[in-house]
Amino acid sequence: MDKIIVEGGRTLKGEVRISGAKNAALPILIASLLTDGINTFSNVPQLQDIHSTALLLENLGARVETRAGTVRIDAGGPIQYEAEYDLVRKMRASVLVLGPLVARLGKARVSLPGGCAIGARPINLHLKGLAALGASIELTHGYVEASAPRLKGADIYFDVVTVTGTENLMMAASLAQGTTVLRNAACEPEIVALADTLIKMGADIQGAGTSVVTINGVSSLKAVEATIIPDRIEAGTFLMAAVLTKGNITLFNTEPDHLGALIDKLRLTGAEIDIDGNNIHIKNSGPINSVDIKTQPYPGFPTDMQAQFMVLMSIANGTSMISETIFENRFIHVSELRRMGADIQVSGNSAIVKGVPHLSAAQVMATDLRASASLILAGLVAEGTTQVNRVYHLDRGYESLEKKFAALGAAIQRVK
Ligand code: EPU
């Protein structure tokens, strides 16, 4: 398996283009299952989870053609109703086919995703919602079997804010009969991006981006052309790299409005940030101030940036508290950061981080995408040469991360 070798201590300078958002692209590609004809999506990031999604869609019978950042999907032919364990196991977001398949075919058989490194991650709310839309749900042999001749609109309340749960039900309700209201819906930009695409396809959706989303079902949806929004988590990772390395970077192809919570916190650390349309310019020259964060659903501080922010706090002046409220087990990076000299104590869902003058390089690895990114960031400032193993997780969600860092002046390379 590939490794990434980082020699710490370089200041990052220059420009970096932010790729399309993984978590927007996944549901949007899957929404093709609701349409006839050829969909064309551009600004699709080239990364492992996108390949897994293409495989999943092909396995279901769709025709998928990928060229550079453009993906064409034709789901107009016969579509199968079963998503196998081997495909779902590789990527939890595969469960997003459940809603579209039941809506289109009247039945679906999808492997249950199971837990993962960051928590148990049940899909009970996806299933509760589909049941409310009239689907009969059975769990057998590790699979969810859902069937309904035609889904019927319903009033659905989510006990917990769930991003993919909201997306699954928004897609299912688009082809249901009558009106569906989703309450306590997720408000993430990726939800709005999916809703915008569904609306282009002919769906009638109001309120996406707020906690109440209303969907008036229609009888069919048509294929579209759509562009994937910029990846706010990738952008956030580069912003943090600039602060860490006392760098001076311009990010282009970003959506600064999606980064409000992080930009606020980074300004408090002492970073200078200027926004100019879709470009963000960031510079840091002084010491890093310690700042507390608490992860929350959007527009709160994203859980997907918690690990990277912890690296920043590891070398800040003073002590900070990082609280993780979304996933019960998302501190996998802590033990690896400690091996690099960080002073972090975890108690329940909070971590107390006492800034140290410097981190020291080590061999590290992580079993989660964002935790892996945090180890690369730590490597950029650690004294010595850090080796990040099991890069597989990083490749699931970042497009050419090491190449982009190298272009900014980092001493970083991938070793096969
Ligand atoms: N939850 C339930 N029941 C459900 C669904 C969720 O209890 O039926 C709980 C989860 O266990 C968790 C919380 O609700 O404690 C929020 O989970 P959510 O469903 O929002 O997470 P997700 O939709 O599975 C997406 C992103 C994650 C991101 C989270 C939170 C995609 C493909 N994945 O996951 O991204 O961390 O929202 O923002 O959109 C990543 O990109 O590295 C990543 C993990």
Side-chain angles (χ1 to χ4, degrees), residues 18-21 43 190 228-232 253-255 258 278:
I18 299 305
S19 301
N43 200 36
E190 293 75 20
I228 304 300
I229 59 168
D231 195 311
R232 63 197 167 101
N253 188 40
T254 68
E255 186 42 80
H258 297 169
N278 293 109

Side-chain angles (χ1 to χ4, degrees), residues 26 29 44-58 64 66 68 71 87 90-91 395-396:
L26 300 179
L29 298 187
V44 179
Q46 295 178 64
L47 34 87
Q48 193 51 48
D49 275 6
I50 296 295
H51 298 313
S52 301
T53 306
L55 262 181
L56 173 68
L57 293 171
E58 279 175 343
V64 184
T66 306
V71 179
L87 294 168
K90 287 196 186 114
M91 189 187 61
D395 292 340
R396 281 193 40 218

Side-chain angles (χ1 to χ4, degrees), residues 35 46 62 68 116 134 176 193 237 242 248 265 329 335 352 391 409-410:
T35 66
Q46 295 178 64
C116 72
T237 304
N248 191 338
K265 293 293 179 182
N329 196 24
S335 50
I352 306 290
V391 197

Side-chain angles (χ1 to χ4, degrees), residues 30-176:
I30 288 172
S32 301
L33 289 173
L34 296 164
T35 66
D36 260 346
I38 302 174
N39 293 275
T40 305
F41 303 111
S42 51
N43 200 36
V44 179
Q46 295 178 64
L47 34 87
Q48 193 51 48
D49 275 6
I50 296 295
H51 298 313
S52 301
T53 306
L55 262 181
L56 173 68
L57 293 171
E58 279 175 343
N59 206 265
L60 290 170
R63 283 220 293 255
V64 184
E65 194 190 293
T66 306
R67 199 165 298 156
T70 300
V71 179
R72 289 199 169 77
I73 303 173
D74 180 358
I79 293 292
Q80 313 296 319
Y81 66 90
E82 179 167 326
E84 295 163 15
Y85 174 69
D86 263 354
L87 294 168
V88 178
R89 167 179 75 81
K90 287 196 186 114
M91 189 187 61
R92 296 184 48 83
S94 305
V95 76
L96 283 168
V97 301
L98 190 58
L101 288 180
V102 193
R104 170 165 169 175
L105 304 172
K107 63 178 175 177
R109 187 167 188 269
V110 176
S111 173
L112 277 164
C116 72
I118 62 177
R121 303 183 75 181
I123 58 160
N124 57 313
L125 300 173
H126 301 228
L127 302 184
K128 183 185 155 211
L130 281 174
L133 293 178
S136 65
I137 309 273
E138 271 188 58
L139 303 181
T140 52
H141 308 296
Y143 279 76
V144 181
E145 290 182 3
S147 59
R150 172 108 198 248
L151 295 172
K152 292 205 168 55
D155 204 295
I156 297 168
Y157 168 73
F158 293 103
D159 293 313
V160 177
V161 175
T162 160
V163 175
T164 48
T166 303
E167 291 165 351
N168 226 338
L169 291 168
M170 213 159 70
M171 289 191 279
S174 292
L175 285 185

